[in-house]
Amino acid sequence: MTKRKFKYKSAFDIIGPIMVGPSSSHTAGAVRIGKMARDLFKHTPRKLIVTFFGSFAETYKGHGTAVAIVAGVLGFETNDERIPDSLEIAEQQGVHVEFLVSRTPTDHANTVNLELIDNTELLNLTAISIGGGSIQLTEINHHSTLLEHSQGNGLLLTTFEPQITLPNVREALESPEFIQVQELNKETIIFVETVSDISQKLLAKIKNLPGITTVMATTG
């Protein structure tokens, strides 16, 4: 993995979100990583394999990271009181969950890889919890979502019509640089970096563009 800078966006990121504890980076960030995977996969998987690295590998049980990841994959938000019971809920919903630990060195201590599996679909996602509940997506299906010298804000889009989507996104964003385009199950996934602030207003604007099915910031 290439050494990269992982950044906070504001002081509010350090304070962290409203959440079920005990830790913003080990719990709230983990929920958000799981939820990001769920939003991309678009439904509950039949099988979830979670591999923890670094600090996560040492503390995932005691700090609630395991239940937090599963909660996010089930679609829970960071303040959902069902988070501590997510493993039982996943079992009730027929989701087989497997936890693994890797000693492979990573660029950030709080790194996790998720593999969501269904009968016909697969999503492999790697992300980090950078503190205060903020996260950064680093890989999807083993392809990096980051530029070599990242200076802007990351954005991920999915679409069924990339030939329509790409020109519209270029027009909507300030100085976009398209990292890569790849297939994700039946959709096309597009990674973008832009100097534009990725606000909820901007996300809503892009989501309403023709052909867009998913929009999310890859950092924050």
Side-chain angles (χ1 to χ4, degrees), residues 140-190:
I140 288 184
N141 291 345
H142 308 291
H143 292 281
S144 175
T145 65
L146 303 173
L147 288 175
E148 186 68 23
H149 301 290
S150 180
Q151 297 297 323
N153 299 306
L155 192 65
L156 179 152
L157 319 169
T158 61
T159 178
F160 288 109
E161 302 175 289
Q163 70 281 3
I164 296 175
T165 298
L166 287 167
N168 288 333
V169 173
R170 287 186 186 279
E171 186 174 346
L173 294 173
E174 182 182 355
S175 302
E177 181 167 350
F178 290 83
I179 302 172
Q180 60 176 305
V181 177
Q182 64 173 273
E183 296 305 309
L184 176 66
N185 299 320
K186 297 178 182 179
E187 294 181 292
T188 297
I189 188 166
I190 302 169

Side-chain angles (χ1 to χ4, degrees), residues 21 35 43 65-66 77 116 121 130 146 162 185 202-204 214 217:
K35 182 68 161 49
H43 58 275
T65 310
E77 300 293 343
L116 284 69
E121 297 181 352
I130 58 180
L146 303 173
N185 299 320
L202 178 60
L203 290 175
T214 304

Side-chain angles (χ1 to χ4, degrees), residues 25-81:
S25 59
H26 286 238
T27 308
V31 173
R32 294 188 63 202
I33 290 170
K35 182 68 161 49
M36 176 180 284
R38 166 60 181 257
D39 290 345
L40 283 172
F41 203 63
K42 294 188 168 59
H43 58 275
T44 303
R46 294 300 91 202
K47 184 175 183 179
L48 170 65
I49 302 173
V50 183
T51 304
F52 295 106
F53 300 82
S55 176
F56 272 176
E58 301 295 332
T59 63
Y60 74 93
K61 293 181 181 179
H63 284 192
T65 310
V67 295
I69 288 286
V70 174
V73 172
L74 294 177
F76 299 174
E77 300 293 343
T78 57
N79 61 346
D80 197 306
E81 295 183 356

Side-chain angles (χ1 to χ4, degrees), residues 1 8 45 47 73 85 92-94 102 109 125 142 162 176 181 197 214:
M1 294 185 180
Y8 295 107
K47 184 175 183 179
V73 172
D85 302 317
Q92 292 167 7
Q93 295 186 10
S102 175
L125 178 151
H142 308 291
V181 177
D197 288 333
T214 304

Side-chain angles (χ1 to χ4, degrees), residues 106-128:
T106 58
D107 290 343
H108 195 283
N110 297 333
T111 299
V112 63
N113 175 267
L114 308 183
E115 191 166 7
L116 284 69
I117 303 168
D118 212 333
N119 294 333
T120 59
E121 297 181 352
L122 171 69
L123 170 65
N124 189 294
L125 178 151
T126 301
I128 61 172

